[in-house]
Amino acid sequence: MNQHELHDYLEDIPSNESGNRPFEEVLHVSMGRRNLLKAGATLAGGAAFGFSAMASAGSLTLHNALLGFNQQLIGFTPVTRAQGAGPNPAISPEYQYSAVFPWGDPIKPSGPAYSLPMTSAKQEEQIGIGHDGMWYFPILDPNASRFGWDALRDSDPWTSGYLSESGVPGYGDLNGVLCLNHEYGTNAHILRKANPESLEDVRISQLAHGMSVLHIKSVNGVWTTQESSLSRRIHVNTPMEFSGPAKNHPMLQNTANNEILGTANNCANGYTPWGTYLTCEENFNGYFGTDNTTWKASSNQARYGLTSGGFGYSWHKFDPRFDLANPAYANEHNRFGWVVEVDPFNPTSKPIKRTALGRRKNEGATVHVSADGRAVVYMGDDERFDYVFKFVSAEPWQKMRASGESPLDRGTLYAARFNDNGTGDWLELSMANPVLAAAFPDIGALLVMSRAAADLVGATPMDRPEWVTVAPDGRVYLACTNNSRRTATTLASVETGRSINRATNSANPTPVNNDGHIIRWVESRGHSGNKFEWDIIIFAKDTHGSEASFASPDGIWADPDGRIFVQTDGDQKDGLMNQMLVGDPVSGVIKRLFTGVPGCEITGIAVTPNRKTMFINVQHPGDGDPAASSFPAARGSGAVPRDCTVVITKKDGGVIGS
Ligand code: FEO
Ligand code: CA
Ligand code: CA
Ligand code: CA
């Protein structure tokens, strides 16, 4: 297997071996619920987002007003299955796209031009690889201090003027800061060889990871990077700081070079109402390793999938920070797996790892403001049989900000339990729980080992929870991408760390779930409570054979009109490339907007304030192999493919998705 396949394989290996079995007594899938869902779905083109089932199951006060929804929400002509078969990208005929910001282009025009072989000196001033989550922060007023953002800090971007109070009308639609994650790139792709042969090789790889902060502008429809002090690279060796309850915890200290450095495997993202970006560290374990044959993983290390071989990056051979057996860096691995806050408008600010949100293989961190004004963060832990988490700030975020406190530093962390009757509970992960107080010495240790805390309270092991989004009606959507190890009957699997019951549960009812599903729920107390009511709105396999065919949902994003954008990462059926679709949960219509190239996944969504420009990413085109794809260069050119962003506009200038 190539390194990408290895990455996927290792990502798939369950490291949750909990003996707890939250659904041990519920080994059957509620087929009644499932049939209700199917009956409730409006079959449009053979598949649909089932929407009515939620209301049928409802006993909470559901948000049935469906603000802003209408039947004409998705008017475009979809990309057909035949058109979406590759090898080149395809887009709806009413739309157009262009590829921008590829790996290796300079972050500023004055920087070093792309050329191979890569060097660390070049890569440090160039866009990284593995384009994933991102967000666009508009610069509203060319004359204002701090690029017009001050007026918007501490207001809700979507509801209090972000869209209308620009100093110059429309200026923010053409001028902004794009925060762009660089999840990963294999040695084969970046170095053009399987293993690093020097510290220089390792540095190149490290500098290709992390994220880019790019000041970009559009002139005559062409987006380019700017010569701007805002633009910077953040990578595996960038100075960072910790905040929150575990800030000074012993588990985060090293005896050698205690400086906190770097972020890695930056997957999906979030953005806050106070104008900052959240970048999330997912499969950090893959970069650690050791050649010391006497090394043995601790239970904490095993729970996070740390192994002597890692994912084959072999950074540890030249950088002792990533050698698991080096006692001077004994806690380096604990410094990864966090949600990291970045200020797009202050290029000298250090990124901050927010420990109150807990440590896991963080897919994303979706922020929503609760009815009582608190910052609520939804986070998927993307591993087979791992969990969904929620953080709720202790007080309304504006009050905390006004008193100089980050809303992400003090609050309550929860893990989700999906009950068989369609209700759900957010299980508090704190020292107030006697079970957790007995298991952890303090809250800091609990947060560093938040997976283990969730094991102990009986959270529901999921089918690889990826992105979460909150629709304008308040409903929360979660993409469970797949889990081929899910079994129909009870199967206790003893692997790294602990044992897990692989049996289906009502929220993950598909044995050998190769194609994934989407769960939706309604929160109690306007998102700040500890109850919810959930249902499954679609099983991807039910779309197969139809024009709406998709598999392995990963990226999911609700726009302010209620459209649900779904992006895929996995083997598509019916001959399709990985893709982006748009769903209308009211009519049930799903339409395909864009398809990628062989080997790639489609991930990441950002929009300008008027939503007439959308940015998405083509990650690992051709898996780095020119024989599979040279995208964005011409197919067959022999050029090494480059992860890049794709700018999507509608030919008539309309809102994307309409
Ligand atoms: Fe980085 Fe789970 O996708
Ligand atoms: Ca990926
Ligand atoms: Ca993902
Ligand atoms: Ca994925």
Side-chain angles (χ1 to χ4, degrees), residues 4 7-8 11 130-132 183-184 267 282 554 569 601 603 619-620:
H4 171 62
H7 169 98
D8 274 353
E11 184 174 70
H131 296 33
D132 206 318
E183 186 183 31
Y184 83 101
C267 184
E282 192 190 15
D554 186 337
D569 171 23
E601 71 178 83
T603 184
Q619 191 187 101
H620 53 77

Side-chain angles (χ1 to χ4, degrees), residues 7 35 57 115 125 127 180 247 290 297 315 325 455 465 484 491 498 510:
H7 169 98
N35 290 335
S115 66
E125 298 178 55
I127 294 167
L180 171 62
K247 176 179 168 66
T290 186
W315 289 358
D455 295 341
S484 62
L491 177 60
R498 60 182 195 155
T510 309

Side-chain angles (χ1 to χ4, degrees), residues 36-37 39-41 49-57 520 585:
L36 174 67
L37 283 158
F49 278 165
F51 208 76
S52 57
M54 189 94 183
S56 307
R520 183 180 56 193

Side-chain angles (χ1 to χ4, degrees), residues 279-353:
T279 183
C280 301
E281 300 174 338
E282 192 190 15
N283 291 297
F284 66 89
N285 57 311
Y287 303 98
F288 288 84
T290 186
D291 295 334
N292 184 329
T293 54
T294 64
W295 176 82
K296 194 172 179 308
S298 67
S299 60
N300 172 40
Q301 289 171 325
R303 187 66 183 84
Y304 286 84
L306 289 150
T307 61
S308 59
F311 292 172
Y313 286 91
S314 294
W315 289 358
H316 67 275
K317 292 183 187 295
F318 300 97
D319 184 346
R321 196 152 70 92
F322 293 91
D323 186 341
L324 290 166
N326 187 328
Y329 294 98
N331 286 316
E332 187 65 22
H333 59 94
N334 286 333
R335 292 177 166 186
F336 293 87
W338 302 100
V339 175
V340 188
E341 185 171 19
V342 172
D343 187 338
F345 294 98
N346 185 355
T348 62
S349 61
K350 275 187 181 180
I352 304 173
K353 301 195 174 195

